[in-house]
Amino acid sequence: MTEIMSQLKESLSTCDESGSTDAVQKLLNAGVPASEVIAACNEGMGKLGERFDAGDAFIPDLMFGGMIMKKIMTTLEQLPGAGEQTPVGKTIVLGTVQHDVHDIGKDITAMVFRGNGFHVVDLGVNVSPKQFVEAILAHKPEFVGLSLLLTTCYKSVMLTMEAIANAGLRENVKICVGGAAASDMVAERCGIDHYAKTAIDGLNWAKQFSV
Ligand code: B12
């Protein structure tokens, strides 16, 4: 199984579509849980990012890698049990912060929360601080999830937190941040309750308040 996991990571990082989807199918057929498949995909996408950093991959590669990843997610979403579960009656407003258009991690997070009975309000990408505030007012969520992939968008996180506080809503919601540019330090500096390393980490954090 380790070999197929490695095949998946290698195929995704080199944008080999059939190699990636074959590996996913083999893993699922062997009963590997979707969460482990997602974790391997994450690593593969991270490696693709490293290739991009090293000048060995280019924007079209990132885009193609993103398309392969979305295809894999569609397969995972169709698995039995991946849909809405018994509602836990809690809502999360989710979005990728302003000026950032990466949505794969956010979409996985939405899928994971939905699959565990949360009501998910997905605001999409490039979400302005004002849109977050409006969504909190409209949906009265218990949780807000910010996705942050670009270090240049750190300021968007700060401005979003400021806008939520200025609207008098900070005490009403628990807030977490995730994505490649997020960290414990970002969370701490922005006054965010939790840094979620993965979607599952975010879910487990939210679940403690949801029993
Ligand atoms: C695919 C990709 C793209 C695609 C995105 C396609 C899409 N539909 O999303 C495209 C081509 C659009 C793109 C564009 C750019 N990209 Co890009 N991209 C990537 C890449 C390779 C993979 C991202 C990804 O999808 N990973 C897989 C997912 C599953 O992982 P994830 O997002 O981290 O999510 C997981 C967790 O973090 C967590 N999570 C994420 N969000 C949240 C939120 C909450 C609430 C919770 C609980 C959890 C959670 O859950 C997920 C599952 O566990 C990364 C490399 C990397 N290391 O991330 C670079 C990367 C993020 N991109 C980068 C760059 C520079 C860019 C561009 C600026 C390039 C350019 N010069 O134009 C543009 C910016 C566009 C913009 N304004 O946003 C850099 C950022 C560097 C930096 N320091 O900021 C990276 C790190 C690559 C690199 N190493 O240089 N990119």
Side-chain angles (χ1 to χ4, degrees):
M1 210 52 57
T2 330
E3 206 176 295
I4 307 173
M5 281 287 192
S6 304
Q7 182 199 328
L8 173 56
K9 292 173 204 170
E10 179 62 22
S11 304
L12 249 186
S13 70
T14 51
C15 303
D16 170 359
E17 181 173 1
S18 59
S20 306
T21 49
D22 275 7
V24 168
Q25 213 45 65
K26 280 184 193 153
L27 290 168
L28 293 177
N29 290 346
V32 173
S35 58
E36 284 179 32
V37 175
I38 290 175
C41 289
N42 246 332
E43 268 192 58
M45 293 299 275
K47 280 190 184 172
L48 173 59
E50 285 164 21
R51 289 186 53 226
F52 176 72
D53 258 351
D56 181 34
F58 304 93
I59 303 284
D61 298 303
L62 293 190
M63 291 173 79
F64 192 42
M67 282 160 61
I68 299 172
M69 184 72 201
K70 289 202 166 198
K71 199 170 168 187
I72 294 172
M73 277 169 58
T74 309
T75 307
L76 298 180
E77 270 167 4
Q78 284 161 3
L79 291 176
E84 291 270 357
Q85 302 286 308
T86 318
V88 293
K90 306 279 177 183
T91 298
I92 179 165
V93 160
L94 203 58
T96 302
V97 299
Q98 193 161 36
H99 306 305
D100 190 336
V101 303
H102 295 83
D103 64 359
I104 297 170
K106 170 190 67 62
D107 289 353
I108 290 178
T109 304
M111 184 173 90
V112 163
F113 272 78
R114 261 191 211 113
N116 282 274
F118 283 75
H119 173 55
V120 177
V121 179
D122 186 347
L123 303 179
V125 297
N126 188 21
V127 182
S128 69
K130 186 166 174 264
Q131 284 172 295
F132 274 109
V133 168
E134 284 170 357
I136 297 171
L137 288 168
H139 300 281
K140 306 200 172 18
E142 285 77 15
F143 305 100
V144 173
L146 310 175
S147 192
L148 170 72
L149 274 286
L150 299 175
T151 46
T152 46
C153 293
Y154 175 65
K155 196 173 170 203
S156 303
V157 176
M158 297 279 267
L159 293 175
T160 301
M161 293 302 290
E162 247 175 63
I164 293 172
N166 290 343
L169 298 169
R170 182 62 187 94
E171 299 305 316
N172 303 8
V173 284
K174 300 226 177 296
I175 306 181
C176 68
V177 66
S183 62
D184 284 319
M185 197 179 77
V186 168
E188 199 181 313
R189 294 211 171 153
C190 298
I192 292 172
D193 300 303
H194 181 68
Y195 158 56
K197 197 166 168 30
T198 63
I200 303 284
D201 174 8
L203 172 73
N204 290 337
W205 166 77
K207 269 183 165 174
Q208 343 158 45
F209 310 103
S210 308
V211 280

